[in-house]
Amino acid sequence: MKAFSPIRSVLSVMLVSSVISGCSQLIKEPQATGDLGVIIERATGTVQIVDTTEQRSLGSVSELGDLSHASIVFSRDERFAYVFGRDGGLTKVDILEQKIDKRVVQSGNSIGGAISQDGKLVAVSNYTPGGVKIFNSDTLELVLDLPAIGRDGKQSKTVGLVDAPDQKFVFSLFDSNEIWLVDMSGDEPKIQKFFDIGAKPYDALISPNGRYYIAGLYGEDGMALLDLWYPEKGVRKILPNYGKGEQRLPVYKMPHLEGWAVAGNRAFVPAVGRHEVLVVDMNTWEQVGAIPVHGQPIFVMARPDGRHVWVNFAFPRNSVLEVIDTETLEVIHHKEPGKTVLHMEFNPRGEKLWTSVRDENKVCIYNTRDFKEVECLAAESPSGIFFTNRAHTIGL
């Protein structure tokens, strides 16, 4: 047995303490992501990372390319934001490290994207050259290239790309009037195609439960509906008489159907070229009302509890927000945040609404109970606002 050495023991303790002390300096303070979000600053190709609880900016990530009309989806762990740029760039941003993790330029002009149910695939919708590309969400390596050759034999722009349950993606072909349903659950993709769905689908949405895919039609009245529980029944037209025989106003900006609102069994949909929000009974898919509003609606978004619907508007009436009561179907509040109100986003439980005011370089936050302004954050030409709770919502 070795003799006990006090000096050696003291040195050992000092060494261990030194190692522990050194390690503790390397470990960063744990940071959760559930109350974080990202704001697009389109003019500079930058995203600003914000804390929705503290209502403050945490930093920014730049060199993301052309971010006009950019959109974002999040990884399942809410750490990574996938940014879809108008220049075809797909960028994976680490919102904790505030840096670009990976980036590819996958087309000449893209219009949005979606992330699969299991979070392993990211799909991008393209205008130029058209089609959809699907990537590994970890590496951004190409998994599948779908040129979207329509029945007319030509490659089409793709719009309204969303994720759907059972590891599926759905999108519309603008040029050939089709909807494609792509099943990525097996070893090989399975594609169902639906033809003659209506003229020029320009955008689409999926119901919050992932059952109904609805494409807005620019070339004719009405919308196209696909029931994903029964795709074998095909696509049917809904709201066929909407706008029939009436003179439309010039359309200054197409509404975003992904921002549609559902409250109870009713859907609130922006009317194209009209100063109205349409009310649709989701049991019959018939229009049951039309609410006069300030201008041509762009985003029509329900507070998460469905009590109110907030609306913003197209140029030249785009300095206004209005709030609709979903019981009385009346506008109950009107406010003017500033020049060019582009996008809205609710806190996950809906107590606050954030809105970008592009031409005044600010993002304003409102209390959704009394509609009072809480504060405004500085942001350079802000557009889209996206919070990480979207990671767990179908179609977002």
Side-chain angles (χ1 to χ4, degrees):
M1 177 181 293
K2 294 182 179 179
F4 175 73
S5 171
I7 295 177
R8 185 174 182 178
S9 296
V10 169
L11 289 174
S12 298
V13 171
M14 291 175 62
L15 178 61
V16 171
S17 299
S18 175
V19 170
I20 293 175
S21 175
C23 288
S24 65
Q25 292 175 7
L26 295 176
I27 299 173
K28 293 183 178 179
E29 185 72 19
Q31 169 70 58
T33 57
D35 60 354
L36 301 186
V38 175
I39 297 170
I40 300 289
E41 295 181 302
R42 57 191 295 167
T44 58
T46 300
V47 296
Q48 185 177 152
I49 299 167
V50 295
D51 184 318
T52 61
T53 299
E54 300 292 335
Q55 298 169 172
R56 65 186 179 93
S57 175
L58 301 178
S60 62
V61 179
S62 59
E63 299 183 356
L64 302 180
D66 182 355
L67 296 189
S68 56
H69 205 285
S71 63
I72 287 176
V73 299
F74 292 96
S75 60
R76 284 168 61 97
D77 61 6
E78 301 181 353
R79 174 167 181 172
F80 298 100
Y82 297 89
V83 184
F84 306 100
R86 195 59 188 264
D87 57 357
L90 168 60
T91 310
K92 183 181 179 183
V93 172
D94 186 331
I95 60 176
L96 284 183
E97 296 290 339
Q98 298 180 16
K99 67 178 185 180
I100 294 174
D101 182 76
K102 293 179 177 62
R103 174 174 167 81
V104 296
V105 177
Q106 54 83 46
S107 77
N109 185 341
S110 59
I111 196 64
I115 191 164
S116 62
Q117 186 178 46
D118 66 0
K120 295 182 179 178
L121 301 170
V122 173
V124 190
S125 181
N126 291 311
Y127 275 4
T128 306
V132 167
K133 289 183 179 179
I134 301 177
F135 298 86
N136 180 306
S137 64
D138 182 32
T139 64
L140 296 192
E141 293 175 341
L142 184 64
V143 174
L144 181 65
D145 186 355
L146 291 169
I149 306 298
R151 193 163 62 172
D152 59 1
K154 300 177 182 177
Q155 189 168 21
S156 174
K157 300 183 186 72
T158 53
V159 296
L161 172 64
V162 299
D163 60 279
D166 299 325
Q167 200 69 357
K168 295 175 182 174
F169 293 109
V170 196
F171 57 90
S172 300
L173 279 61
F174 176 84
D175 301 301
S176 57
N177 308 329
E178 299 175 29
I179 293 174
W180 287 16
L181 174 61
V182 181
D183 183 346
M184 297 294 292
S185 62
D187 294 334
E188 297 293 332
K190 297 178 182 177
I191 303 174
Q192 285 181 271
K193 301 177 182 179
F194 303 88
F195 304 111
D196 302 321
I197 60 106
K200 298 181 179 178
Y202 67 89
D203 194 9
L205 54 87
I206 192 166
S207 57
N209 65 359
R211 176 172 178 176
Y212 298 106
Y213 178 83
I214 301 172
L217 302 175
Y218 187 62
E220 63 181 83
D221 296 329
M223 297 180 171
L225 182 145
L226 176 62
D227 185 345
L228 298 178
W229 287 11
Y230 302 101
E232 68 278 7
K233 293 183 178 179
V235 175
R236 69 183 176 100
K237 292 284 293 293
I238 61 173
L239 306 178
N241 296 318
Y242 164 64
K244 199 164 188 174
E246 298 180 12
Q247 181 66 42
R248 286 183 177 178
L249 298 173
V251 178
Y252 297 108
K253 181 177 175 60
M254 295 303 291
H256 285 263
L257 294 184
E258 286 186 12
W260 82 325
V262 172
N265 66 345
R266 293 188 291 198
F268 295 80
V269 181
V272 177
R274 303 277 294 273
H275 293 189
E276 292 178 342
V277 170
L278 307 183
V279 186
V280 180
D281 185 327
M282 295 180 66
N283 295 317
T284 61
W285 292 106
E286 294 182 352
Q287 181 182 335
V288 294
I291 305 168
V293 290
H294 166 78
Q296 295 182 18
I298 296 298
F299 283 101
V300 176
M301 301 182 69
R303 205 171 71 177
D305 64 352
R307 185 68 184 86
H308 296 151
V309 167
W310 289 60
V311 186
N312 71 337
F313 301 96
F315 176 84
R317 299 189 170 198
N318 57 0
S319 62
V320 166
L321 288 175
E322 287 189 334
V323 182
I324 296 171
D325 184 303
T326 56
E327 281 192 334
T328 65
L329 305 184
E330 295 177 346
V331 174
I332 60 170
H333 189 73
H334 175 106
K335 65 191 320 98
E336 300 186 18
K339 295 180 180 177
T340 316
V341 176
L342 283 187
H343 198 268
M344 299 177 286
E345 182 83 336
F346 289 98
N347 275 20
R349 293 199 177 205
E351 75 278 12
K352 302 281 174 46
L353 177 118
W354 296 47
T355 188
S356 54
V357 188
R358 186 192 65 189
D359 292 352
E360 296 190 11
N361 297 314
K362 64 182 181 180
V363 170
C364 291
I365 305 167
Y366 297 102
N367 186 315
T368 57
R369 185 175 56 186
D370 58 17
F371 311 120
K372 293 182 179 177
E373 181 180 299
V374 178
E375 64 178 294
C376 293
L377 305 178
E380 191 163 351
S381 298
S383 54
I385 304 171
F386 305 88
F387 295 160
T388 55
N389 61 297
R390 286 171 169 254
H392 312 292
T393 302
I394 295 170
L396 295 180

